[in-house]
Amino acid sequence: MGAVEELLKEYEKVWAIGYSLALMGWDSETYMPEGSARERGEASAALVALKQSILTSEKFLDLVERAEEEASDDVERGIVRVLRRALKYYTRIPVELLREEERVTNEAKIAWRKAKKRADFGTFRPYLERIVEIKREEAEHLGYENHPYDALLDLYEEGFTVKDADRLFSGLKPLTKELERILSSGWPQEHPLEETPYDAVRMRELNERILDILGFEREYQRLDTSAHPFTEGIGLYDVRITTWYHGKDFRRSLLATVHEFGHSLYERGCDPSLWKTPVCGGVSLGVHESQSRFWENYIARSRAFSSLVAPLVREYLNLDASPDDIFTYFNLVRPSTIRVEADEVTYNFHIMLRYELEKGLIEGSIEVKELPQAWNEKMEEYLGITPPNDAEGVLQDIHWSLGAMGYFPTYSIGTVLAVQIGRKMEEDLDLPSLVSEGKFSPIREWLREKIHRWGSVYPPKELVRRALGEDLDPKAFVDYVKVKYR
Ligand SMILES: [Zn+2]
């Protein structure tokens, strides 16, 4: 048996643990009885430790070493690359530091929830201070070339650096002017459908119907309900998505469903020959988000989709909305303090602000105690609004309490990349007519062929270059906004 083959055989254990953890994770957000949380947490932690011990065992490290010498094609090299990355995290960061992070973030989550409830940053501040210290230490252990934040960005988006992020966000700055133009042009900021109630059972049926039209495979996929929508790729043949229902403003439920459909399609599209290997599954958070945003923004927020969906909205929700109404309603532009409620035009400003603050925290140019004020000033600068309190400002996201620093930029990577994918696709396909006729299989096939089937064989930057013949390009997004919101 060759080293790669032997390595993959050993990896099957890790794969099976990952499969179980994913299923348990999905269950804990959907159907698990509340009282089981503690027991589930212990079972998960034991499995994570088991996985880690297999990956860092001498036997496994040796197999990776030998496989690296033997790897003879792109897939084999990809397998070694992905495993090396996983090992880097486990072997370079001292166990005590990882344990300390686990402990601090467990407490920080609770403190954050309290702080948010009371709109009191002070409650959360000492925890965040400790988290920032831990993250800075981790960056030193992981290593970087130019900036400590590079080491953290790389955990979520392989190869993405401060230099790339600076280029991305400075390329998005012209959106400030576009936003001013859009707002002063009288582009709608509100719509009565935001307040129109719907029946949740019928809404669920509408979501299911739309998923059927998009090409959701019932045999391997399912839709459920959770507090926050998410996708869980349990295995190649089992991908679950969730959505939410608020009883009014049906756009939120529908667009979340379409968004998660995009994530699930990516997970399902991996080439079956990669099954159970470390390269089966999305390559990075940014590329993953490009798939969900492509379906949510480029497809579902288009005029063509509005005409496809208008008769369904009438049939299922009994709402008399024209395609024009729906297009307007799906594309309102309104600066808001809350990221998750932001529209396409203002969304990237929310990320830009978080990126600049995180970078400052990690390099030491901003202190945690200065965050609330720095947050509000940037919000005023970018969107012309100031949060009424810290709950709607600096405390709104859960990410920092989990120790996720370097994560936010992947949202903008995905949002921009989604537009580039759409433009490239339009060179090959007549999207408006396919979408308005509900013919999605050529679109799914295009994505599968160019992106999905490769899993993580190539690093994200290389995958993008191979698929699109270009790099991440913020100008494409700015141009798209200029044309769409005219
Ligand atoms: Zn997403």
Side-chain angles (χ1 to χ4, degrees):
M1 206 192 293
V4 177
E5 213 180 321
E6 219 179 305
L7 176 68
L8 289 177
K9 198 162 180 309
E10 187 66 11
Y11 181 79
E12 265 195 43
K13 297 176 197 163
V14 176
W15 170 82
I17 295 170
Y19 182 101
S20 314
L21 282 168
L23 180 56
M24 286 157 70
W26 168 83
D27 176 70
S28 64
E29 300 293 327
T30 50
Y31 295 107
M32 184 183 77
E34 230 174 272
S36 315
R38 186 185 209 146
E39 188 179 41
R40 179 64 51 91
E42 293 207 10
S44 305
L47 285 178
V48 168
L50 181 60
K51 175 176 145 184
Q52 198 175 330
S53 73
I54 297 171
L55 282 173
T56 54
S57 69
E58 223 158 284
K59 181 183 178 189
F60 198 82
L61 294 175
D62 182 56
L63 280 171
V64 173
E65 198 95 1
R66 281 170 45 213
E68 187 155 42
E69 283 161 25
E70 262 183 37
S72 61
D73 59 24
D74 287 0
V75 172
E76 294 183 355
R77 279 187 288 271
I79 288 168
V80 172
R81 187 191 95 255
V82 168
L83 288 175
R84 279 254 175 256
R85 277 176 57 76
L87 291 172
K88 181 177 152 185
Y89 185 77
Y90 290 128
T91 53
R92 290 201 190 169
I93 302 176
V95 186
E96 307 80 65
L97 190 59
L98 288 177
R99 259 192 225 129
E100 165 80 350
E101 183 180 6
E102 170 87 17
R103 193 186 60 74
V104 173
T105 52
N106 270 334
E107 289 171 19
K109 256 183 291 179
I110 299 163
W112 169 74
R113 224 165 268 140
K114 243 188 236 162
K116 190 176 175 183
K117 214 174 184 179
R118 297 186 197 147
D120 169 33
F121 183 70
T123 311
F124 182 49
R125 182 181 141 190
Y127 296 92
L128 187 55
E129 280 170 346
R130 186 63 195 122
I131 287 170
V132 170
E133 277 171 35
I134 291 171
K135 287 289 140 185
R136 290 169 73 170
E137 265 182 74
E138 283 185 4
E140 293 306 319
H141 288 295
L142 288 166
Y144 52 86
E145 245 175 73
N146 298 310
H147 196 290
Y149 191 48
D150 289 349
L152 303 179
L153 287 169
D154 181 74
L155 293 175
Y156 302 99
E157 193 70 18
E158 184 178 355
F160 192 74
T161 62
V162 164
K163 215 169 135 194
D164 296 318
D166 285 342
R167 197 180 306 129
L168 171 64
F169 291 112
S170 68
L172 289 172
K173 283 262 157 87
L175 285 175
T176 319
K177 250 198 177 148
E178 285 310 306
L179 178 61
E180 263 172 46
R181 181 188 61 74
I182 291 164
L183 294 177
S184 64
S185 76
W187 187 276
Q189 294 196 39
E190 290 174 341
H191 197 281
L193 283 170
E194 288 177 275
E195 293 303 325
T196 309
Y198 62 72
D199 177 70
V201 174
R202 292 298 280 163
M203 185 66 223
R204 159 132 198 168
E205 287 165 4
L206 173 60
N207 283 335
E208 297 277 11
R209 175 77 181 274
I210 288 168
L211 286 175
D212 280 336
I213 296 171
L214 295 178
F216 200 58
E217 303 163 287
R218 303 271 159 210
E219 210 181 339
Y220 308 113
Q221 294 172 290
R222 56 175 289 136
L223 170 71
D224 290 276
T225 307
S226 62
H228 290 275
F230 68 93
T231 296
E232 190 69 74
I234 293 166
L236 180 55
Y237 300 97
D238 187 349
V239 184
R240 321 247 174 133
I241 67 172
T242 68
T243 191
W244 53 9
Y245 301 94
H246 305 92
K248 64 170 192 175
D249 199 3
F250 76 84
R251 169 187 67 166
R252 292 183 77 188
S253 181
L254 191 154
L255 291 177
T257 306
V258 174
H259 179 102
E260 301 306 330
F261 167 78
H263 281 304
S264 74
L265 194 66
Y266 187 16
E267 288 294 311
R268 272 289 300 137
C270 178
D271 193 280
S273 68
L274 304 177
W275 185 48
K276 295 204 276 188
T277 74
V279 292
C280 198
V283 68
S284 70
L285 289 185
V287 175
H288 233 301
E289 198 64 8
S290 77
Q291 298 309 297
S292 55
R293 293 282 177 177
F294 168 78
W295 287 94
E296 179 193 348
N297 288 349
Y298 210 86
I299 299 294
R301 288 189 154 101
S302 69
R303 288 207 179 267
F305 192 81
S306 303
S307 61
L308 173 72
V309 90
L312 300 175
V313 168
R314 189 165 310 129
E315 182 185 339
Y316 285 85
L317 304 183
N318 209 9
L319 294 175
D320 202 16
S322 70
D324 269 349
D325 284 332
I326 289 178
F327 178 77
T328 305
Y329 169 50
F330 280 12
N331 291 286
L332 301 173
V333 177
R334 180 173 64 215
S336 108
T337 55
I338 307 296
R339 174 181 64 86
V340 296
E341 287 167 17
D343 53 76
E344 255 185 324
V345 181
T346 57
Y347 188 82
N348 287 304
F349 291 110
H350 291 267
I351 304 303
M352 201 182 290
L353 168 160
R354 286 159 178 77
Y355 163 68
E356 289 166 359
L357 296 179
E358 275 189 5
K359 187 173 74 164
L361 288 171
I362 299 301
E363 72 187 13
S365 62
I366 299 177
E367 284 183 54
V368 170
K369 65 169 186 236
E370 301 168 324
L371 268 187
Q373 201 191 337
W375 182 289
N376 292 353
E377 283 168 9
K378 283 190 188 291
M379 198 56 123
E380 186 62 48
E381 184 191 338
Y382 295 150
L383 293 176
I385 43 177
T386 300
N389 55 54
D390 288 344
E392 291 180 41
V394 69
L395 288 170
Q396 67 183 267
D397 299 303
I398 193 172
H399 301 59
W400 289 341
S401 75
L402 305 172
M405 291 199 152
Y407 188 122
F408 283 120
T410 66
Y411 290 123
S412 281
I413 295 173
T415 304
V416 170
L417 211 46
V419 164
Q420 292 178 255
I421 290 167
R423 282 162 46 131
K424 247 317 168 247
M425 193 183 284
E426 296 209 63
E427 291 175 11
D428 301 328
L429 302 175
D430 180 4
L431 280 189
S433 60
L434 288 172
V435 172
S436 58
E437 290 164 26
K439 291 183 180 151
F440 291 101
S441 94
I443 299 173
R444 292 195 310 271
E445 199 45 39
W446 194 98
L447 292 169
R448 198 189 63 77
E449 180 62 30
K450 301 257 185 196
I451 298 165
H452 300 175
R453 72 184 177 111
W454 296 109
S456 320
V457 169
Y458 301 109
K461 283 178 179 172
E462 188 179 343
L463 175 70
V464 168
R465 219 168 290 145
R466 279 170 175 267
L468 308 179
E470 60 192 38
D471 296 323
L472 183 67
D473 177 16
K475 189 172 175 297
F477 186 82
V478 176
D479 290 346
Y480 159 80
V481 166
K482 269 185 198 166
V483 174
K484 181 170 173 181
Y485 295 85
R486 188 154 291 282

mmCIF file of all heavy atoms in Angstrom, residues 229-231 256 259-260 262-263 285 288-293 296 407 411, ligand 1:
data_model
loop_
_atom_site.group_PDB
_atom_site.id
_atom_site.type_symbol
_atom_site.label_atom_id
_atom_site.label_comp_id
_atom_site.label_asym_id
_atom_site.label_seq_id
_atom_site.Cartn_x
_atom_site.Cartn_y
_atom_site.Cartn_z
ATOM 1 N N PRO A 229 -30.367 30.618 10.787
ATOM 2 C CA PRO A 229 -30.207 29.685 9.667
ATOM 3 C C PRO A 229 -28.758 29.228 9.519
ATOM 4 O O PRO A 229 -27.833 30.003 9.756
ATOM 5 C CB PRO A 229 -30.607 30.525 8.445
ATOM 6 C CG PRO A 229 -31.388 31.667 8.985
ATOM 7 C CD PRO A 229 -30.852 31.944 10.341
ATOM 8 N N PHE A 230 -28.558 27.973 9.161
ATOM 9 C CA PHE A 230 -27.208 27.469 8.891
ATOM 10 C C PHE A 230 -27.273 26.237 8.000
ATOM 11 O O PHE A 230 -28.342 25.680 7.755
ATOM 12 C CB PHE A 230 -26.480 27.127 10.205
ATOM 13 C CG PHE A 230 -27.042 25.937 10.954
ATOM 14 C CD1 PHE A 230 -26.526 24.658 10.760
ATOM 15 C CD2 PHE A 230 -28.090 26.085 11.847
ATOM 16 C CE1 PHE A 230 -27.042 23.549 11.445
ATOM 17 C CE2 PHE A 230 -28.620 24.989 12.531
ATOM 18 C CZ PHE A 230 -28.094 23.719 12.344
ATOM 19 N N THR A 231 -26.100 25.846 7.513
ATOM 20 C CA THR A 231 -25.967 24.620 6.712
ATOM 21 C C THR A 231 -25.010 23.689 7.422
ATOM 22 O O THR A 231 -23.987 24.134 7.935
ATOM 23 C CB THR A 231 -25.390 24.946 5.321
ATOM 24 O OG1 THR A 231 -26.313 25.775 4.621
ATOM 25 C CG2 THR A 231 -25.153 23.664 4.504
ATOM 26 N N ALA A 256 -33.085 33.614 3.323
ATOM 27 C CA ALA A 256 -32.216 32.749 4.149
ATOM 28 C C ALA A 256 -32.231 31.326 3.591
ATOM 29 O O ALA A 256 -31.200 30.654 3.528
ATOM 30 C CB ALA A 256 -32.685 32.757 5.599
ATOM 31 N N HIS A 259 -30.123 31.314 0.498
ATOM 32 C CA HIS A 259 -28.726 31.451 0.919
ATOM 33 C C HIS A 259 -28.161 30.090 1.351
ATOM 34 O O HIS A 259 -27.116 29.643 0.870
ATOM 35 C CB HIS A 259 -28.658 32.455 2.076
ATOM 36 C CG HIS A 259 -27.282 32.688 2.644
ATOM 37 N ND1 HIS A 259 -26.540 33.803 2.342
ATOM 38 C CD2 HIS A 259 -26.520 31.955 3.491
ATOM 39 C CE1 HIS A 259 -25.371 33.736 2.984
ATOM 40 N NE2 HIS A 259 -25.338 32.625 3.693
ATOM 41 N N GLU A 260 -28.869 29.423 2.237
ATOM 42 C CA GLU A 260 -28.381 28.134 2.738
ATOM 43 C C GLU A 260 -28.400 27.071 1.635
ATOM 44 O O GLU A 260 -27.545 26.193 1.611
ATOM 45 C CB GLU A 260 -29.198 27.672 3.963
ATOM 46 C CG GLU A 260 -29.170 28.642 5.153
ATOM 47 C CD GLU A 260 -27.768 29.034 5.632
ATOM 48 O OE1 GLU A 260 -26.835 28.226 5.488
ATOM 49 O OE2 GLU A 260 -27.616 30.174 6.133
ATOM 50 N N GLY A 262 -27.488 27.607 -1.325
ATOM 51 C CA GLY A 262 -26.200 27.803 -2.005
ATOM 52 C C GLY A 262 -25.060 27.097 -1.280
ATOM 53 O O GLY A 262 -24.222 26.443 -1.904
ATOM 54 N N HIS A 263 -25.044 27.218 0.041
ATOM 55 C CA HIS A 263 -24.023 26.510 0.828
ATOM 56 C C HIS A 263 -24.160 24.992 0.624
ATOM 57 O O HIS A 263 -23.167 24.280 0.473
ATOM 58 C CB HIS A 263 -24.199 26.801 2.325
ATOM 59 C CG HIS A 263 -23.650 28.129 2.774
ATOM 60 N ND1 HIS A 263 -22.347 28.507 2.571
ATOM 61 C CD2 HIS A 263 -24.237 29.159 3.447
ATOM 62 C CE1 HIS A 263 -22.147 29.713 3.097
ATOM 63 N NE2 HIS A 263 -23.280 30.136 3.631
ATOM 64 N N LEU A 285 -14.038 29.663 4.055
ATOM 65 C CA LEU A 285 -15.293 30.340 4.397
ATOM 66 C C LEU A 285 -15.685 31.352 3.334
ATOM 67 O O LEU A 285 -16.857 31.526 3.030
ATOM 68 C CB LEU A 285 -15.151 31.047 5.747
ATOM 69 C CG LEU A 285 -15.077 30.143 6.970
ATOM 70 C CD1 LEU A 285 -15.052 30.990 8.236
ATOM 71 C CD2 LEU A 285 -16.253 29.192 7.012
ATOM 72 N N HIS A 288 -17.065 29.560 0.370
ATOM 73 C CA HIS A 288 -18.380 29.035 0.764
ATOM 74 C C HIS A 288 -19.433 30.133 0.710
ATOM 75 O O HIS A 288 -20.528 29.961 0.174
ATOM 76 C CB HIS A 288 -18.324 28.422 2.168
ATOM 77 C CG HIS A 288 -18.865 27.022 2.194
ATOM 78 N ND1 HIS A 288 -20.150 26.724 1.804
ATOM 79 C CD2 HIS A 288 -18.290 25.835 2.511
ATOM 80 C CE1 HIS A 288 -20.338 25.414 1.899
ATOM 81 N NE2 HIS A 288 -19.224 24.850 2.323
ATOM 82 N N GLU A 289 -19.068 31.285 1.275
ATOM 83 C CA GLU A 289 -20.021 32.393 1.302
ATOM 84 C C GLU A 289 -20.302 32.902 -0.118
ATOM 85 O O GLU A 289 -21.381 33.412 -0.392
ATOM 86 C CB GLU A 289 -19.487 33.509 2.210
ATOM 87 C CG GLU A 289 -20.516 34.519 2.670
ATOM 88 C CD GLU A 289 -21.625 33.957 3.567
ATOM 89 O OE1 GLU A 289 -21.545 32.782 3.985
ATOM 90 O OE2 GLU A 289 -22.581 34.695 3.829
ATOM 91 N N SER A 290 -19.344 32.767 -1.024
ATOM 92 C CA SER A 290 -19.604 33.197 -2.408
ATOM 93 C C SER A 290 -20.721 32.352 -3.014
ATOM 94 O O SER A 290 -21.499 32.840 -3.837
ATOM 95 C CB SER A 290 -18.332 33.089 -3.258
ATOM 96 O OG SER A 290 -18.063 31.749 -3.632
ATOM 97 N N GLN A 291 -20.818 31.089 -2.611
ATOM 98 C CA GLN A 291 -21.852 30.214 -3.151
ATOM 99 C C GLN A 291 -23.232 30.596 -2.618
ATOM 100 O O GLN A 291 -24.202 30.660 -3.359
ATOM 101 C CB GLN A 291 -21.527 28.753 -2.825
ATOM 102 C CG GLN A 291 -20.228 28.289 -3.456
ATOM 103 C CD GLN A 291 -20.194 28.601 -4.947
ATOM 104 O OE1 GLN A 291 -21.002 28.095 -5.714
ATOM 105 N NE2 GLN A 291 -19.271 29.451 -5.364
ATOM 106 N N SER A 292 -23.304 30.876 -1.315
ATOM 107 C CA SER A 292 -24.597 31.258 -0.747
ATOM 108 C C SER A 292 -25.027 32.634 -1.248
ATOM 109 O O SER A 292 -26.193 32.853 -1.577
ATOM 110 C CB SER A 292 -24.514 31.252 0.773
ATOM 111 O OG SER A 292 -23.462 32.064 1.220
ATOM 112 N N ARG A 293 -24.067 33.551 -1.323
ATOM 113 C CA ARG A 293 -24.390 34.912 -1.776
ATOM 114 C C ARG A 293 -24.754 34.946 -3.252
ATOM 115 O O ARG A 293 -25.539 35.778 -3.685
ATOM 116 C CB ARG A 293 -23.195 35.843 -1.544
ATOM 117 C CG ARG A 293 -22.891 36.073 -0.110
ATOM 118 C CD ARG A 293 -23.870 37.063 0.466
ATOM 119 N NE ARG A 293 -23.604 37.236 1.875
ATOM 120 C CZ ARG A 293 -24.254 38.078 2.647
ATOM 121 N NH1 ARG A 293 -25.207 38.821 2.154
ATOM 122 N NH2 ARG A 293 -23.959 38.176 3.911
ATOM 123 N N GLU A 296 -28.334 33.915 -3.192
ATOM 124 C CA GLU A 296 -29.168 34.903 -2.489
ATOM 125 C C GLU A 296 -29.215 36.241 -3.237
ATOM 126 O O GLU A 296 -30.287 36.777 -3.499
ATOM 127 C CB GLU A 296 -28.614 35.134 -1.067
ATOM 128 C CG GLU A 296 -29.406 36.169 -0.278
ATOM 129 C CD GLU A 296 -28.687 36.634 0.991
ATOM 130 O OE1 GLU A 296 -27.686 36.010 1.381
ATOM 131 O OE2 GLU A 296 -29.147 37.628 1.577
ATOM 132 N N TYR A 407 -12.407 36.187 11.068
ATOM 133 C CA TYR A 407 -13.546 35.538 10.404
ATOM 134 C C TYR A 407 -14.316 36.522 9.523
ATOM 135 O O TYR A 407 -14.659 36.213 8.379
ATOM 136 C CB TYR A 407 -14.453 34.969 11.496
ATOM 137 C CG TYR A 407 -15.606 34.099 11.063
ATOM 138 C CD1 TYR A 407 -15.732 32.791 11.523
ATOM 139 C CD2 TYR A 407 -16.593 34.573 10.206
ATOM 140 C CE1 TYR A 407 -16.795 31.989 11.134
ATOM 141 C CE2 TYR A 407 -17.660 33.778 9.824
ATOM 142 C CZ TYR A 407 -17.749 32.482 10.299
ATOM 143 O OH TYR A 407 -18.803 31.690 9.921
ATOM 144 N N TYR A 411 -16.884 37.253 4.920
ATOM 145 C CA TYR A 411 -18.213 37.643 4.439
ATOM 146 C C TYR A 411 -18.100 38.558 3.217
ATOM 147 O O TYR A 411 -18.867 38.447 2.266
ATOM 148 C CB TYR A 411 -19.002 38.378 5.533
ATOM 149 C CG TYR A 411 -19.447 37.522 6.698
ATOM 150 C CD1 TYR A 411 -19.082 37.848 8.008
ATOM 151 C CD2 TYR A 411 -20.264 36.410 6.511
ATOM 152 C CE1 TYR A 411 -19.516 37.097 9.090
ATOM 153 C CE2 TYR A 411 -20.695 35.653 7.588
ATOM 154 C CZ TYR A 411 -20.322 36.006 8.882
ATOM 155 O OH TYR A 411 -20.751 35.255 9.950
HETATM 156 ZN ZN ZN B 1 -23.569 31.943 4.707
#
